Amino acid sequence: YMDKRVAGMDVPDAIIKRMEGVPKDKMADEGIQVCLETIAELREIEGVHGVHIMAIEWEEVVGRIVTEAGLTPSQ
């Protein structure tokens, strides 16, 4: 959906295929896992000092992502 309907969004084919293989009741958790993996990869890039987390119409998950990604000030 996001790859085709969200302007400026480019979702890699590997992620699309990964999500296609996930049962519908597990898609939300898998999407969060993809986000956490992406944040972990970005944190390894020299010069990257932050990320922008945007969960359109799913804002309540942002806190979980921040915590699980280790982005809270105490971590």
Side-chain angles (χ1 to χ4, degrees):
Y1 175 86
M2 291 176 69
D3 189 50
K4 294 186 180 357
R5 300 225 169 104
V6 178
M9 182 67 69
D10 181 26
V11 179
D13 289 338
I15 298 295
I16 292 171
K17 288 181 191 215
R18 176 176 172 176
M19 293 303 292
E20 286 174 344
V22 176
K24 190 170 187 164
D25 66 327
K26 304 284 184 194
M27 282 189 161
D29 286 331
E30 190 68 17
I32 291 169
Q33 186 59 39
V34 168
C35 180
L36 293 170
E37 290 168 12
T38 301
I39 291 169
E41 290 176 22
L42 290 169
R43 292 180 87 177
E44 296 298 317
I45 299 171
E46 188 174 336
V48 173
H49 299 286
V51 296
H52 179 106
I53 301 168
M54 187 168 67
I56 301 168
E57 295 184 20
W58 199 26
E59 293 81 6
E60 64 273 10
V61 78
V62 173
R64 174 181 168 189
I65 291 169
V66 168
T67 300
E68 290 186 24
L71 299 175
T72 56
S74 63
Q75 296 176 327

